[in-house]
């Protein structure tokens, strides 16, 4: 909105020329989202408590989690509200990619909200059926992937990290890859969100990384210099990523150990689905495995645990999956697990960014 209202006035008020710059609008999108969280956060937490939106704590988890009884969930509503308002204020709304990521964050947020609400009304940690949730996730991801596939200026080539000239064209198979990336990332973030700040920390580093990738991919000079695919219009996703980073930091203010609120599936599914969509639009699909390595590690730990548990008729690889519970049961205090996962996430983001030059 601000871009459309104030930039055209730069001919009379020269200062307003600043609104054309993506960097300026990204910074203020972050600040706006952060301030919204500080203003709305306390009210929302009180509201969730009044409505008794308390997270059901499972009995079969680490005993330390029983102390979390009474913590409200669905704090992801705060993240979504801050991101949507800040993006609508600061982004150039004529760019279709902006509406695409807003569609994903709202769509996956709604799926997560229904799941959270069902858990709370049935007072169990089971929500809507796994099949129903997965069907909704796949349907939305497929719709977004098809829109990208039919866009004339969007290619079905996949970027292979470390190889600048290897850009295999998957054709229609790209739609399936894209759907898998979006749904997979949504569920990986969902699995990771099992300790205070454990999901939002790596999400902040991931969105900061894709903020850079979106800026590079949308700038014809920088993308040419780095020899990465130029995707016209992704520069505006820098503003969206800035809003997510600001909202994530704002949410972390309340979700930091000991958490006053959990994000709920409304937060984890929407953040993950949007991160997957950004990886597709910026043509850095495979690199997401490095940037989001913490989410990959958590998901792989579950796959191996459940797979081996079934194959060995009850034996476990980890003390408990996902792997953050394994370290808890090894005696690591919760804050130590969380901060060490954050550190690994920052290292992975730096390595991923470095691959743009190591090609
Ligand atoms: C998502 N949800 C947290 C909160 C958050 C197949 C199996 C691995 C699935 C997995 C599972 O159910 N995952 C669901 C993780 C839950 O957090 C809520 O869910 C939202 C995210 N979707 O926003 O609303 C609990 O996590 C804790 N939490 C915090 N701080 C936070 O900021 O402490 C969350 C956010 C909350 C709270 O205790 O209640 C979750 O863990 O369920 N299942 C598991 O992860 C379970 N693992 C398991 O069953 N392992 C078995 C299997 C694999 C064979 C094994 O290894 O033997 C663990 N989770 C729980 N109890 N709660 C262990 C059992």
């Amino acid at each position: 909105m601000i871009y459309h209202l104030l930039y055209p006035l730069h001919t009379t008020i020269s200062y307003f020329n600043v609104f054309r710059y993506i960097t300026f609008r990204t910074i203020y999108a972050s600040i706006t989202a952060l301030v919204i969280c500080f203003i709305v956060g306390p009210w929302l937490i009180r509201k969730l408590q009044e409505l008794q939106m308390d997270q059901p704590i499972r009995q079969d988890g680490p005993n330390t989690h029983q102390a979390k009884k009474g913590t409200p969930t669905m704090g992801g509503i705060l993240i979504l509200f801050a991101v949507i308002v800040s993006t609508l204020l600061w982004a150039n709304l004529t760019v279709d990619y902006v509406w695409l990521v807003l569609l994903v964050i709202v769509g996956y947020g709604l799926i997560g909200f229904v799941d959270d609400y069902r858990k709370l009304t049935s007072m169990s940690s089971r929500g809507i059926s796994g099949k129903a949730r997965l069907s909704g996730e796949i349907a939305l991801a497929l719709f977004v992937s098809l829109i990208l596939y039919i866009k004339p200026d969007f290619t079905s080539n996949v970027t292979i990290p470390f190889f600048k000239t290897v850009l295999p064209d998957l054709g229609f198979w790209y739609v399936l890859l894209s759907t898998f990336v979006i749904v997979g990332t949504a569920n990986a973030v969902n699995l990771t969100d099992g300790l205070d700040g454990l999901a939002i920390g790596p999400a902040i580093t991931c969105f900061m990384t894709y903020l850079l990738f979106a800026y590079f991919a949308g700038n014809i000079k920088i993308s040419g210099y780095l020899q990465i695919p130029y995707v016209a219009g992704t520069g505006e996703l820098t503003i969206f990523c800035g809003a997510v980073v600001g909202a994530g930091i704002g949410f972390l203010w309340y979700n930091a150990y000991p958490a006053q609120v959990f994000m709920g599936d409304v937060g984890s599914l929407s953040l993950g689905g949007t991160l997957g969509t950004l990886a597709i639009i910026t043509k850095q699909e495979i690199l997401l495995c490095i940037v989001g390595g913490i989410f990959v590690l958590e998901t792989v730990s579950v796959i191996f645990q459940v797979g081996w548990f079934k194959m060995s008729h009850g034996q476990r690889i980890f003390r408990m999956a996902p792997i953050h519970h394994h370290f808890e049961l090894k005696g690591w205090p919760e804050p130590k697990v969380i901060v060490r996962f954050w550190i690994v996430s920052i290292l992975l983001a730096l390595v991923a960014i470095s691959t743009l030059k190591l090609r």
Side-chain angles (χ1 to χ4, degrees), residues 55-58 60-62 65 68 73 116 119 190-191 193-197 255 259 261-265 268 302 305-306 309 316 319-322 324-325 334:
Q55 173 68 39
I57 308 292
R58 286 167 49 168
D60 57 352
H65 285 233
K68 298 169 183 275
T73 186
D116 285 331
K119 281 177 200 164
N190 182 51
L191 277 176
D193 193 29
L195 297 180
D196 298 353
N255 184 236
V261 66
F262 299 150
M263 68 168 73
D265 290 18
S268 57
V302 170
Q305 178 86 329
V306 175
F309 189 82
R316 285 183 164 84
R319 296 185 185 199
M320 184 176 284
H324 56 260
H325 289 313
E334 181 171 347

